Amino acid sequence: MADRSVVRWLVRRDPGLGATHRALRVAVVATAAFMLCRYALGSTTAATYAAFGAIGFGVLSQVVGTGRQRTRTLVACFLSGSVLITAGTLLAGSTAAATVGMLVVGVVVAFLPIGGPRPAGVANGLQLLYILPSFPPFAPETLGMRVLGLAVGMGFLALADRVLWPPRPVASYACRAAGAARALADLLDALTTATRAGATSGDGLAGARTAAAHAGGRLKLQVTPWEVRPTGPARGDRGRAHLGPAMRSVQGRVEALLATCTPADGILADAVEAGIAAAGGLRRTADALRHGAARDALPAAVAELDAARVAYTDKRLVAVTTLEGADAVAHARWAVAVTQVLSSARVAVQAAVIVTDPHRRTPQDIGWWAGAPTGLLWWRRIRAHLSPRSVYLQNAVRLGVGLALARLVAGELDLSHGLWVLLATLTLMRTSVTSTRATLLPAIVGTTAGAVVAAGLLEVVGQHTLVYALLFPVLCVAAVLAGQLIGMIAAQACFTVLVAALFAQLAPAGPSLAGVRLLDVLVGAVVGIAVGAAVWPAGGHGELRRAAARSLRALADLVRATAAWIAGTGSRDDLAAHLWTSDHVLLFFEADFLQYRAERRRRHEDDVDWFTVLAVVHRTMRTTRAALDEPAARELGAIPWPALTAQLDRDARDLAEGYAAVARCLSEGRTPHVVLGVPADFVDRALRAIAEVPGRHEHPRAVLRLVDAWGRLGWAAEDLAALGVVLAPVAVPRGRAWAGHPAARRRQPA
């Protein structure tokens, strides 16, 4: 019964037994590599590097991806690690040289997360490979054995990773997108069926809406496992990053349609063929992302969507010349949403082309990066984050300075096991001083408890190395598993006993070794706290508000430029330039948001729904990208109604000023007051004016351009209303605020 209780407890604490398998795998690898080098080869140097190679990339790192990708990552880490071991060995003789090298290596390696989850996961392991040889004795003649030991440890780890309880694959972002694409195709099919039947509602449509909302929610970065988030600079990652927003845009536009009309109203009758085309393209996208079966059919799907968009535009032109009054206004309002469904579906299919075949030559209308070489994409990502406003650079500098200071202190104080000082700094430092401080007490308590146990073990066992050899695999499993099952205190205690057992096999050791370990951890923790408090102590929270303000200022310019482009009064180059600026600031906003979500926060720091702000930025930028390729927007003739053009410009400027006002308040730390210079019914009023304008039958394309422009302003106004809800839940001047507008209560931004 006791055994069953232990098993049930283990399964409850470790669902799927992933951590248990990892602990067993690392224990087998570390033990086998250490024993081979220590007792078969008779080299304590090789044994040390073999054990720490397995621990560094099996415990301190998370090697992610498919089996083949993990193997390639470990091979790349071995090659890079050999260089780091060589540098650390050659610089170890001088405290000053070793400290400068630690600063450079610390910053460069800690900057790796800009490349996405795979390089981010191995950064700590690479740091360890410079730390390990950077302490005296200065023994460059042992460099060969150090590299050999690393090769044994990492070679065993790479082999075990493929054959010994290999990690269960995490559902990739492409698979999540495939599920969303199929759910959206089902939703469009259900909507099309209901429209043809003239049904007002139905279980099929309701169920499809629920399934699409659930599948779309799984594409949000904050609910996506970090190891499959599309945050890298390469074309494949960028393509996956476009899939999620495009899918959510389709779902959001369909929900906007159904919020105010039903299939029985007849408004959607002209959109049946458009819905069929969008559903077909999304089904091919799902098949290509999940199985690769329809990969070659995706370019044809893009052409079909283009044809459907042209055909639907022709129907809109007919409606402009035949519908009058309220019917014309209703058709105009929702026709814009149908066009957006087609545009977003087209973006999703194009992104799937890139994801399924990153080397295919792709038209660049989805973005400049679609045809750019990989080297240029990496360089632009690096250059973008070489900014003091980048949390990636802040984290790199903070950790680099902390490790360098720890190396200097350990060298100047001549600590006998200075390695542990840097290990404590490396493992305890977090991205904010609040998070770092929260880890300090558990680390000290755990290390103290482990030191007491280790001292007793060393006193009782003495120099009987066979006992330590037998205990080593058990302690290795405990050290890896304790953090997952119990917490940091247990993990630190087990790791302290583990390193005592390891070093006791390398050289004679007494109970004082445990006290040295405790002292070194205390020194490393103090260094980490001091540097964390001095170097960007607020972490992601400190940058998030500023990044949100910069993004909203960029949106203000984007709103004006989009309206001008669609109406024919602005240039495409001007809009593309504003979109590039928005892309640049969004890069920082997303990084700040993801780090903020992972940090420990003080009370009342979660009052703002930053995800809604991020969703508003994404949606406005998606709308702008779609506007760049609207067929009607390419024929930039003059609008024959100057009064309407002037009114559009005023509404766009007033709406943009609302975004700019929120941005100013955020940047100044004040509570935003969302104040709009347009009435709540400005879109319907404009559509009525367009429906009554003389000569509209002679200029149907000009009418569509104005309708599209005001339609997008309406979406931007709804998003600004949503910002008013999450950022400024206070009273604002009557008749000017949209915080209580029905659209704000009806839905959140897609």
Side-chain angles (χ1 to χ4, degrees), residues 55-75:
I55 292 172
F57 292 94
V59 181
L60 299 182
S61 301
Q62 296 191 53
V63 183
V64 298
T66 63
R68 183 175 297 178
Q69 288 174 333
R70 294 195 303 271
T71 300
R72 287 202 301 262
T73 299
L74 288 173
V75 171

Side-chain angles (χ1 to χ4, degrees), residues 1 83 96-97 137 225 239 308 332 357 363 379 475 488 516 534 536 578 585 595 602 700:
M1 293 295 293
V83 175
D357 190 359
W379 165 242
L475 294 173
M488 176 174 281
V516 171
W536 292 294
H578 286 300
V585 296
Q595 179 167 310
R602 296 186 296 270

Side-chain angles (χ1 to χ4, degrees), residues 98-179:
T99 300
V100 172
M102 187 72 262
L103 177 63
V104 174
V105 171
V107 171
V108 171
V109 173
F111 200 52
L112 287 178
I114 65 167
R118 288 176 61 194
V122 298
N124 279 353
L126 291 174
Q127 298 278 19
L128 176 63
L129 295 185
Y130 177 85
I131 293 172
L132 196 59
S134 68
F135 289 91
F138 181 62
E141 68 277 2
T142 64
L143 179 59
M145 295 305 296
R146 292 177 176 184
V147 175
L148 175 62
L150 179 67
V152 171
M154 295 190 67
F156 282 11
L157 185 63
L159 179 63
D161 178 76
R162 301 297 292 272
V163 301
L164 194 61
W165 302 295
R168 289 185 177 181
V170 178
S172 68
Y173 195 81
C175 287
R176 289 172 171 249

Side-chain angles (χ1 to χ4, degrees), residues 287-679:
D287 291 340
L289 291 174
R290 192 177 297 276
H291 308 297
R295 184 176 68 181
D296 294 334
L298 289 178
V302 174
E304 291 175 6
L305 286 170
D306 287 338
R309 195 161 54 159
V310 171
Y312 185 66
T313 299
D314 292 338
K315 291 183 179 181
R316 294 180 65 193
L317 291 172
V318 173
V320 166
T321 60
T322 58
L323 297 179
E324 302 289 343
D327 290 339
V329 171
H331 188 278
R333 172 181 280 276
W334 301 119
V336 179
V338 174
T339 302
Q340 181 67 14
V341 169
L342 287 169
S343 298
S344 298
R346 183 178 187 272
V347 171
V349 177
Q350 285 183 305
V353 172
I354 296 173
V355 171
T356 56
D357 190 359
H359 303 293
R360 181 192 292 266
R361 297 184 65 86
T362 308
Q364 296 187 22
D365 50 353
I366 191 175
W368 66 269
W369 51 270
T374 302
L376 177 61
L377 294 175
W378 271 91
W379 165 242
R380 289 208 174 187
R381 175 63 62 87
I382 292 171
R383 187 177 63 180
H385 281 289
L386 290 177
S387 164
R389 295 274 70 90
S390 169
V391 290
Y392 288 124
L393 184 64
Q394 291 178 5
N395 295 339
V397 172
R398 183 190 301 110
L399 183 59
V401 170
L403 291 174
L405 182 59
R407 177 63 183 87
L408 179 63
V409 170
E412 291 298 321
L413 297 181
D414 197 21
L415 298 178
S416 58
H417 286 274
L419 162 70
W420 293 345
V421 177
L422 273 76
L423 274 179
T425 303
L426 176 66
T427 56
L428 298 182
M429 279 193 73
R430 298 294 187 267
T431 57
S432 71
V433 67
T434 302
S435 298
T436 303
R437 190 166 53 239
T439 65
L440 182 61
L441 182 59
I444 293 176
V445 171
T447 304
T448 302
V452 172
V453 174
L457 177 67
L458 294 170
E459 178 67 29
V460 171
V461 176
Q463 306 303 317
H464 296 85
T465 56
L466 178 61
V467 177
Y468 299 121
L470 295 175
L471 286 176
F472 185 78
V474 178
L475 294 173
C476 194
V477 171
V480 178
L481 203 55
Q484 174 77 19
L485 301 184
I486 303 175
M488 176 174 281
I489 293 178
Q492 285 291 122
C494 292
F495 192 74
T496 299
V497 180
L498 173 66
V499 295
L502 186 149
F503 281 99
Q505 297 177 73
L506 300 175
S512 61
L513 181 65
V516 171
R517 160 74 177 167
L518 177 59
L519 174 63
D520 289 341
V521 169
L522 287 173
V523 172
V526 169
V527 170
I529 283 288
V531 174
V535 183
W536 292 294
H541 182 264
E543 292 296 332
L544 188 59
R545 182 174 291 268
R546 284 189 289 267
R550 291 196 300 272
S551 292
L552 293 178
R553 280 195 295 269
L555 289 196
D557 295 333
L558 212 53
V559 166
R560 289 195 298 266
T562 303
W565 159 246
I566 295 177
T569 59
S571 70
R572 191 182 195 281
D573 290 342
D574 183 56
L575 180 56
H578 286 300
L579 186 59
W580 186 92
T581 301
S582 300
D583 267 326
H584 182 74
V585 296
L586 177 61
L587 189 70
F588 292 91
F589 191 11
E590 286 183 329
D592 296 341
F593 173 75
L594 291 175
Q595 179 167 310
Y596 167 78
R597 292 280 301 182
E599 288 175 347
R600 189 183 187 94
R601 296 181 290 278
R602 296 186 296 270
R603 187 178 298 176
H604 304 310
E605 283 191 352
D606 243 349
D607 293 342
V608 174
D609 182 4
W610 292 111
F611 178 73
T612 296
V613 183
L614 185 62
V616 167
V617 177
H618 270 292
R619 174 176 162 178
T620 304
M621 292 179 61
R622 291 198 304 269
T623 302
T624 300
R625 284 196 179 92
L628 277 173
D629 295 307
E630 287 294 332
R634 291 174 178 165
E635 301 177 17
L636 296 179
I639 298 292
W641 307 289
L644 287 177
T645 303
Q647 182 59 46
L648 175 66
D649 183 67
R650 286 194 297 271
D651 287 349
R653 289 183 179 277
D654 291 340
L655 187 59
E657 178 54 34
Y659 279 98
V662 175
R664 285 194 297 271
C665 292
L666 283 177
S667 61
E668 295 169 4
R670 296 185 289 111
T671 300
H673 292 255
V674 181
V675 181
L676 300 183
V678 292

